[in-house]
Amino acid sequence: KHRNDLFDWILEQNIKNKYKHYISELIKISANSNNHINALDINQNYGEGKDPTKDKAEFVLSLCEQIMGNDTEISGHKTLIDRCVKEVYADYKDRNYQGVAPTLEDFRQVLLKQDERQAKDIALSIELFTKGSLNTFAKPTNVQVNNRLICYDIIDLGEQLMPVGMLVILDNIINRISKNRKAGKTTYIFIDEIYLLFQHQYTSLFMSKLWKRIRKYGGCATGITQNIEEIIENKKAKLMLSNSELIIMLNQSTSDRDRLAELLHIPDTELNFITNSGTGEGLIKVRNSIVPFENKFP
């Protein structure tokens, strides 16, 4: 019996090793989690141009602005941040983006070496997220981000870490999309409670850019929410919704139904299908066509 148990265990390990990229990975992210995603992870296919670090500099700028808030001081120092991003990636770029990527703490150290006083100010602002108690995104990635199915669980992200965490995870998804695009693979992204991504200024900007680029990157994104009013209240999210190719609407409250009808030009006769509708009933909008559906399973 023990010999058979040992054989089964060895077989199981071999199967896991052989098919590790097809196994799902649940990544729980929080300030106290042992799971870490490096905010500065990058691959040679990242972004739209030939130099991935140029696009990454835009992300780091958004990250710094999110951390520093609406501080007008940072707006005049985009060149400074861009310079430091290029410097922190110089060695990694020379290694053809192989090995261990630099971290946010490495970026802070580069800032501290600059002569400008403003660089010291930026370094001080991000210290909490590099050396401080919220440094979970300033460490090398130690989770499997290459599996076929990945779930990013952000429910335990605190109020302070949530905006930064969502930015980092969205950027991590872009890394995966760019890698899959190079390999000719389609990436499917499902964002539950998508309205949460539009509650913070820089996450909202980043999400709207991602939504526009996703098809060009060889991806397909789906947003899911029960709070459609919060989506419509946000200009970026409203534009994103109105430009989406496929929208599935289930039963709606009176206020949500009226807002959707105005935004998507839904005739009164078809609003009945999302008024007090049963399970599996509603409307599908595909481009300019709106089709009622009833999709019930025993």
Side-chain angles (χ1 to χ4, degrees), residues 269-283:
T269 53
E270 293 181 335
L271 286 178
N272 294 329
F273 292 96
I274 53 175
T275 305
N276 298 321
S277 52
T279 303
E281 299 175 358
L283 292 174

Side-chain angles (χ1 to χ4, degrees), residues 73-229:
E73 190 78 11
I74 196 174
S75 62
H77 305 294
K78 295 181 181 181
T79 304
L80 181 60
I81 292 174
D82 181 69
R83 182 207 308 165
C84 292
V85 169
K86 290 177 180 177
E87 187 173 334
V88 81
Y89 278 115
D91 180 61
Y92 193 57
K93 188 176 178 180
D94 289 341
R95 290 186 276 120
N96 200 26
Y97 303 96
Q98 300 298 315
V100 180
T103 65
L104 274 178
E105 174 56 18
D106 296 324
F107 174 67
R108 191 180 76 89
Q109 292 299 326
V110 172
L111 282 167
L112 290 172
K113 293 177 182 177
Q114 307 305 307
D115 296 329
E116 293 87 349
R117 176 189 59 80
Q118 292 83 357
K120 309 293 190 295
D121 293 339
I122 298 171
L124 180 61
S125 295
I126 68 173
E127 185 176 315
L128 175 64
F129 296 89
T130 55
K131 292 184 66 178
S133 57
L134 302 182
N135 67 345
T136 188
F137 299 111
K139 300 178 180 180
T141 299
N142 66 350
V143 290
Q144 179 57 261
V145 292
N146 293 315
N147 284 350
R148 188 177 181 190
L149 177 63
I150 300 173
C151 176
Y152 297 92
D153 183 349
I154 61 172
I155 195 169
D156 292 326
L157 278 176
E159 185 177 340
Q160 290 291 320
L161 197 55
M162 180 68 79
V164 172
M166 289 193 291
L167 265 178
V168 172
I169 288 170
L170 286 174
D171 186 71
N172 194 257
I173 290 172
I174 289 179
N175 261 305
R176 178 62 180 268
I177 295 170
S178 59
K179 184 178 180 181
N180 285 356
R181 176 179 58 171
K182 181 69 174 179
K185 298 176 181 178
T186 301
T187 310
Y188 294 90
I189 304 159
F190 299 89
I191 308 170
D192 195 16
E193 304 296 0
I194 193 171
Y195 77 96
L196 292 171
L197 295 175
F198 293 95
Q199 292 183 341
H200 306 283
Q201 179 183 354
Y202 297 103
T203 311
S204 175
L205 288 169
F206 205 77
M207 183 65 229
S208 60
K209 287 180 182 178
L210 176 63
W211 200 263
K212 289 178 182 177
R213 295 177 182 176
I214 195 73
R215 280 192 299 171
K216 186 167 68 172
Y217 279 18
C220 179
T222 298
I224 308 166
T225 184
Q226 294 184 33
N227 295 278
I228 196 65
E229 192 166 357

